[in-house]
Amino acid sequence: MKVLEVRDLHVNVEGKEILKGINLDLFEGKVHVVMGPNGAGKSTLTNTIMGHPKYEISKGTISFKGEVINDLKADERARRGIFMSFQNPKEVAGVTVSNFIRASRMSITGQKESLMDFQEELHEKMKDLSMDKVYADRYLNVGFSGGEKKKTEILQMAMLNPSFVMLDETDSGLDIDAVRIVSKNIEKFRNQNKTILIITHHKAILSRIKPDYVHVLIDGNIVKTSDASLVTKIQQEGYSWIKQEV
Ligand SMILES: Nc1ncnc2c1ncn2[C@@H]1O[C@H](COP(=O)(O)OP(=O)(O)O)[C@@H](O)[C@H]1O
Ligand SMILES: [Mg+2]
């Protein structure tokens, strides 16, 4: 089943056109990877799908499960099951990891749950990520290392249990052990009902999470879609050969 359909998407950021007619189909139960040079528009694409107000759609549509979501606010998209992990997670002083995730979850489900049940589940999932549970009571990302911030994003994903996730360079800046732990948790999350979009520059995360589709984004357009073999070719040869193909 097609979960996300992007058609002729043009997006401006601060008056400049960054996405120039993106077409992309994402399928249920599949892992899609988007690769591309720095500045190509990968984060712009995920932020636009999530509904960040800074990204202005000048043309085209984004449909999620058959519904055009262009005009929905980010929290309404989250309630429909869309999640994104930020390339550069923000620090939020005054709000603990635990309170932040609990509030997000209540806003998505509309249901209250007992603090004890919540914390039990949170601590269990932190253990899966090799995170010390003291981090639950620290302010969100404040003073966290790059790796701890990325793990906290995966923790949010696991706790919110969205059906469609976009992971923007979640593996960048992680040491080898952290890449392994993060990959393992994404793989654990993966199932036939989940749709996963991974943005990455690196092969390591994809040795554990085998992608079904690889899309190449260059200068605001998806210029190529292929299978997992494309990852190796890009690692060896870069993007210039693809540019020539267009
Ligand atoms: N919030 C923003 N403010 C200003 N410029 C932005 C913003 N987001 C993206 N851009 C610009 O859009 C282009 C694409 O950026 P981005 O989507 O982050 O690329 P990628 O993730 O592929 O490296 C870059 O030129 C970047 O400077
Ligand atoms: Mg980016």
Side-chain angles (χ1 to χ4, degrees), residues 53-202:
K54 202 166 179 178
Y55 298 80
E56 184 218 334
I57 299 177
S58 60
K59 191 175 173 211
T61 54
I62 304 170
S63 309
F64 182 65
K65 297 184 174 171
E67 177 193 15
V68 175
I69 59 167
N70 285 37
D71 296 327
L72 293 186
K73 296 211 167 66
D75 63 320
E76 296 170 305
R77 299 183 199 207
R79 252 177 256 131
R80 281 164 175 73
I82 305 178
F83 173 90
M84 88 169 267
S85 112
F86 289 95
Q87 184 172 352
N88 301 305
K90 296 257 172 327
E91 302 190 0
V92 185
V95 181
T96 65
V97 168
S98 172
N99 283 342
F100 180 79
I101 297 177
R102 189 152 180 259
S104 305
R105 194 148 95 164
M106 284 200 286
S107 130
I108 285 170
T109 62
Q111 281 166 357
K112 284 210 160 159
E113 60 183 317
S114 92
L115 183 60
M116 262 179 60
D117 289 351
F118 175 82
Q119 282 183 334
E120 195 178 316
E121 188 186 335
L122 185 71
H123 292 157
E124 197 181 300
K125 297 227 154 83
M126 292 179 82
K127 207 169 145 193
D128 289 345
L129 282 159
S130 300
M131 290 176 81
D132 193 309
K133 66 181 182 189
V134 299
Y135 282 86
D137 299 315
R138 285 180 53 174
Y139 292 148
L140 183 65
N141 293 326
V142 177
F144 286 22
S145 71
E148 288 161 352
K149 287 180 184 175
K150 296 298 174 93
K151 280 186 177 181
T152 304
E153 297 282 299
I154 296 299
L155 178 64
Q156 289 171 47
M157 176 191 80
M159 291 298 289
L160 300 178
N161 196 26
S163 62
F164 169 42
V165 309
M166 298 176 280
L167 305 173
D168 192 357
E169 296 200 29
T170 303
D171 55 339
S172 289
L174 298 185
D175 64 41
I176 294 160
D177 290 328
V179 170
R180 184 176 47 76
I181 291 163
V182 162
S183 311
K184 195 177 79 186
N185 279 272
I186 298 167
E187 190 55 35
K188 188 178 171 192
F189 179 82
R190 175 184 198 172
N191 68 38
Q192 64 201 22
N193 303 315
K194 306 291 189 195
T195 304
I196 301 177
L197 176 67
I198 296 174
I199 293 174
T200 185
H201 291 296
H202 310 288

